[in-house]
Amino acid sequence: MIPLALRTFADRWQLFVGTVLAVTAGVAIVHAGMTIILGVENAVPPDGSTPAEAEAFQQAASGASTLTGMTVMLGAFLTIFVVGSTFNFAVDQRRGDLAILRLGGVTSRQVRRLLLAEALLTAVIGAAVGGLLGVALTGVQSRILASLGTFPEELATPIRPAILVLDLVVAGVVCLAGAWGGARRATAISPLDALRRTHDTQRVMTVRRWIVAAVAVALTAVQTYFSATTGGMLIPLLLGLGIVITASVAMSRLSPLLVPAVALVLMPWARRSPVADLAVANLRDAIRRTASCAAPMIVLVSLVMGLQGILDTQTEASATEATQLLDADLVAQGEDLDLEAVDAIDGIALAAPETVVPLAIRLTSGGMTTNGPGTVVAVDPAAFGATHLQRPDSGDVAEFGPDGVVFGPGLDSTMIRGHYDEIVLDVDGETVSLREAARMGETLAGSDGFYIDRAILPPEVLDRATTVLVQLEPGADAGVVGQRLAEAGATNVLTPAELSAEEDSVSARENRAVMAAIVGLGSVYALISVLSTLAIAIGQRRVELATLRLTGLTRRQVQRTTVVEALAATGIGLLLGAVAAVLALVGLWAATQRVYGTPVIAIPWTLLGAITVLTTVLTVATAMLATRGAMRIPPVQALGTRE
C-alpha cells in the first residue's frame, strides 16, 4: 500500500496540505516547549550567585516551566483536534474514490491500510519540518519568556536527541489516531452506497458524534457548576481553561445542528438574489461540509477569547480591589520612609505601614511541616483592620495581635486549607509561635501571603521598602499631604485608583506577552486550519462548480456563491466560539461576586471584533482563490472527471 499511498499523496496533495501544516505546527510547539521544560527542570543558579539572585533564578525557571507547560498542553490539544478533523474531512471528500477501489476488488482492510499509510507519510513530513521549525521556535519562545522575567537568560537550551525522537512519536501517534476514525467510517459503508451518496451516508449527526458531543457537554456543565459554586479564585481560574477546551469540542460537534437554522435565517434575504439563493441551498444540502469548515474557527475563537478574557478579568479585578477592599486616600511608597515623620504630618488621620519582610512562616499539620507559600507582610494590626475592608472567610481581624497571623488573599486556596497544629516564624534564629487570627479569601489580584504584627520584629528587619496606606482628615488637602510625605522619604505618592491604574498598565503589557507566549502560535495554528479546510472543501467541488458554469452562471457569480457559503461557516464558528469563551468566564463572574460584592468580568469585545474582521477578509480571499483554482479546468472537461 505504500506505493499507492505515495501516488495518492502526489496526485491529491491538496487534501493533505492542511494536515501536514497542522502536524508541523503541533510538532514545533511541542518540540520548543519540551526543550525549555527539560532545560529548566534541573537548572541551578550560576556560580557565585547571592541568595537573592539564586531565588530569582529559581522563580524564573519555575515560571518558564509553568507557562511552557500550558503552551505544550494547548499545542497538543490543537494538534489532536485539528489533525483529527482534517483527516476525517479529507476522507469524507474521497468517498467516491474509495468506493471505486472497493468495487475494483480492494478489501476494507486494504483501504484502511492505505489511509494509515498516508497518515504515516504525513507524520514523517510533519515531524521532519516541525522539528526544524521547533529549533527556531525554541529561541523565539525563550526570548518571549525572558522578556516576561520568567526565563533565566543564563540558561541554555541545546538540541536534545530524545526530543527529536519525541517529535516523530508525537506526529505518528496523532496522525494514526486522527486517520483511524476516518478509515473506520470509510470502510463501514458499502461501495454502492458511497457512490450513490444515499441518505445514510449523508447523515451528519452520527452516533459517534452524538456521544462525543454529549460527553463534552457534560464535562463543560460539571466544570461550569463547580467553577461557579466553589469558593476561592484559583479553582474557577483553572476550570476556565478546561471549559475553553471542552466547550469548543462540544460546540464543534453540535455545529451541524446550527447550519439549517442559519440557512433559514438567510432565506428571506437569499430570495432577492439567485446567487444568494443558490448559496443557501448549498448550505442546507452540504451540512457536514459547512460544519467541518466551522469547527477550526470555533476552536480559534474560543481559545483566544477565553484566555484573553481570563487575563483581562484578572487585570480588572485589581482596580476593583483597590476601590472595594481598600479604605485609603493616598498610598505612599519609599525605601527610606520615616514613619514617625509620617505620623506627625497634619491632615493624616491614620497611617498604616506595610513592609514585605524576608521571613518564612512554617506550617505544621498532621506531623508534616512546610514553609508557607507567599510573602510575609509586617503591619500594624489596628491600622490593618481599619484600612483593609475584605471580610475574612474565617476568624476575626479584631483578634489580630502580636501573637497572631492573618492568612492573606494571595494564598492558593487549594494548598492552604484546614487547621494547622503549629504556626512558627523564625526571626534572627529565634522561634516565634503564632496562632491563626483570621483567613482572608483568595482574590484575583491579591499577592500578600501572611500578615504579622510589626511589633514582634527588630528594627533592622523592617529597614526596607515600605508602603503606607494613608487616610486623610476631613478637609485635608491631598496635595499638601503628598508633599509632606515626599519630604518624609516617600518616592511615590498616589491614590489607590492611580496606583491600580499604573499596575494595571504593567499587568496589561504582561498579559499581552503571556498571550503571545501561550496562544499566539496556537491562534496562527488554528487559523491555518480554518483556511486549509476551506480551501479543501472548495477544491473538491470541481464537478459541481463546472455544472454551475454550464447552466449559465458566470465565474464571478460562482465565486460569490462560494464566498457566501464560506462566510456562513465563518459566522457559525464565530458565534459558537464566542459562546464557549463566555462559558469559561462564568466561574470568575460568580467568584468575584462573592468576594467583591460586585461581579468583575472582562469580555474582550475588541479582540472578537478584530478576529471577525481578520477571518472575514482571509475567508473571502481564500474562497475566491480556491474557487478560481477549481475552475481552471474547462467545465466540459471537469464533468468528465470525478471529484
Side-chain angles (χ1 to χ4, degrees):
M1 285 297 162
I2 296 296
L4 182 57
L6 288 170
R7 181 62 182 270
T8 304
F9 213 86
D11 291 343
R12 306 296 296 273
W13 60 269
Q14 300 92 339
L15 290 173
F16 300 98
V17 169
T19 307
V20 170
L21 290 175
V23 175
T24 298
V27 168
I29 292 174
V30 173
H31 180 102
M34 292 306 300
T35 300
I36 293 175
I37 289 174
L38 291 178
V40 303
E41 182 179 9
N42 299 315
V44 295
D47 295 336
S49 299
T50 64
E53 291 172 343
E55 178 65 21
F57 182 93
Q58 294 294 348
Q59 289 182 355
S62 176
S65 180
T66 301
L67 287 177
T68 306
M70 295 176 66
T71 304
V72 171
M73 288 190 295
L74 289 173
F77 163 69
L78 284 170
T79 304
I80 294 170
F81 181 88
V82 173
V83 170
S85 62
T86 305
F87 258 124
N88 291 335
F89 182 65
V91 170
D92 186 64
Q93 295 297 302
R94 297 168 58 192
R95 280 180 175 275
D97 294 344
L98 298 176
I100 291 176
L101 290 176
R102 293 292 307 282
L103 289 174
V106 177
T107 65
S108 60
R109 178 176 295 181
Q110 289 174 321
V111 170
R112 186 180 296 113
R113 286 168 55 191
L114 170 64
L115 296 175
L116 295 180
E118 295 171 357
L120 284 176
L121 288 174
T122 303
V124 171
I125 297 173
V129 181
L132 294 175
L133 182 60
V135 173
L137 183 59
T138 300
V140 174
Q141 194 165 345
S142 299
R143 286 192 292 272
I144 293 175
L145 294 173
S147 68
L148 291 175
T150 57
F151 187 82
E153 296 182 358
E154 306 88 348
L155 197 61
T157 53
I159 300 176
R160 299 171 183 263
I163 297 181
L164 296 177
V165 175
L166 178 64
D167 294 342
L168 185 59
V169 172
V170 169
V173 171
V174 169
C175 288
L176 290 176
W180 182 260
R184 184 183 56 81
R185 287 204 313 274
T187 56
I189 301 174
S190 68
L192 290 178
D193 284 343
L195 288 176
R196 286 195 294 263
R197 297 177 65 87
T198 60
H199 174 74
D200 288 340
T201 65
Q202 293 304 298
R203 185 177 58 180
V204 291
M205 292 302 295
T206 61
V207 174
R208 182 173 178 270
R209 196 180 189 100
W210 275 115
I211 292 174
V212 174
V215 172
V217 168
L219 289 175
T220 302
V222 169
Q223 291 181 101
T224 303
Y225 171 79
F226 280 106
S227 68
T229 57
T230 303
M233 292 289 186
L234 181 63
I235 292 178
L237 196 67
L238 296 178
L239 289 179
L241 301 177
I243 291 172
V244 167
I245 294 176
T246 58
S248 62
V249 172
M251 295 300 175
S252 64
R253 297 295 92 185
L254 295 174
S255 59
L257 301 178
L258 190 60
V259 174
V262 172
L264 186 63
V265 171
L266 294 176
M267 192 174 296
W269 168 77
R271 289 173 178 170
R272 303 176 184 177
S273 167
V275 171
D277 196 14
L278 177 61
V280 171
N282 283 334
L283 285 178
R284 300 178 65 182
D285 180 66
I287 295 176
R288 180 187 291 274
R289 184 175 66 209
T290 304
S292 297
C293 293
M297 180 64 69
I298 294 172
V299 175
L300 169 65
V301 175
S302 62
L303 176 68
V304 176
M305 275 196 64
L307 293 184
Q308 185 63 58
I310 291 173
L311 293 174
D312 288 348
T313 297
Q314 288 182 282
T315 301
E316 190 167 321
S318 176
T320 302
E321 290 182 21
T323 57
Q324 300 291 329
L325 304 183
L326 199 63
D327 184 8
D329 299 303
L330 296 174
V331 179
Q333 299 171 324
E335 293 279 349
D336 301 309
L337 263 175
D338 186 343
L339 297 183
E340 294 183 357
V342 170
D343 289 333
I345 295 175
D346 292 335
I348 292 182
L350 177 66
E354 299 185 352
T355 305
V356 177
V357 293
L359 302 176
I361 298 282
R362 287 190 285 113
L363 306 173
T364 301
S365 178
M368 295 185 61
T369 300
T370 59
N371 284 335
T375 58
V376 178
V377 185
V379 300
D380 177 82
F384 173 84
T387 53
H388 290 262
L389 304 182
Q390 181 182 358
R391 290 178 297 179
D393 284 352
S394 62
D396 189 350
V397 176
E399 299 180 1
F400 181 25
D403 63 339
V405 61
V406 174
F407 287 40
L411 294 179
D412 184 344
S413 60
T414 62
M415 297 176 62
I416 301 296
R417 54 174 55 193
H419 174 72
Y420 289 98
D421 302 324
E422 187 179 33
I423 304 174
V424 173
L425 174 70
D426 292 324
V427 182
D428 288 344
E430 297 184 3
T431 298
V432 179
S433 296
L434 302 173
R435 60 177 180 81
E436 181 180 332
R439 184 173 299 191
M440 298 295 182
E442 185 181 7
T443 64
L444 282 176
S447 59
D448 296 337
F450 301 92
Y451 298 104
I452 60 173
D453 192 342
R454 301 173 62 87
I456 66 175
L457 301 179
E460 58 271 16
V461 175
L462 297 173
D463 187 16
R464 60 189 61 250
T466 299
T467 297
V468 179
L469 305 180
V470 176
Q471 292 180 353
L472 300 178
E473 295 178 348
D477 189 325
V480 174
V481 173
Q483 292 178 359
R484 298 292 181 269
L485 288 170
E487 294 172 359
T491 56
N492 192 27
V493 180
L494 299 170
T495 66
E498 291 171 342
L499 181 61
S500 175
E502 185 178 277
E503 293 174 347
D504 287 350
S505 177
V506 175
S507 178
R509 290 196 299 270
E510 292 178 349
N511 284 350
R512 285 193 293 269
V514 170
M515 279 291 292
I518 296 178
V519 300
L521 295 173
S523 303
V524 175
Y525 185 11
L527 185 58
I528 290 174
S529 177
V530 170
L531 301 180
S532 63
T533 302
L534 179 60
I536 292 173
I538 296 176
Q540 299 304 304
R541 298 168 60 187
R542 289 190 177 93
V543 174
E544 176 187 336
L545 300 181
T547 303
L548 295 177
R549 291 279 287 116
L550 291 175
T551 57
L553 269 67
T554 65
R555 288 179 176 271
R556 180 171 296 181
Q557 287 175 320
V558 173
Q559 283 186 332
R560 288 170 57 190
T561 300
T562 56
V563 166
V564 171
E565 295 176 42
L567 288 176
T570 299
I572 293 172
L574 287 168
L575 174 62
L576 296 183
V579 171
V582 170
L583 286 175
L585 302 177
V586 170
L588 289 177
W589 186 90
T592 52
Q593 171 69 43
R594 288 193 300 268
V595 175
Y596 306 141
T598 181
V600 177
I601 205 72
I603 299 177
W605 296 113
T606 302
L607 180 61
L608 178 60
I611 293 175
T612 302
V613 173
L614 176 63
T615 54
T616 298
V617 172
L618 293 178
T619 296
V620 171
T622 302
M624 293 182 66
L625 292 174
T627 305
R628 183 178 301 175
M631 292 191 298
R632 283 183 300 181
I633 302 176
V636 175
Q637 181 181 345
L639 285 177
T641 61
R642 294 198 55 82
E643 294 187 49

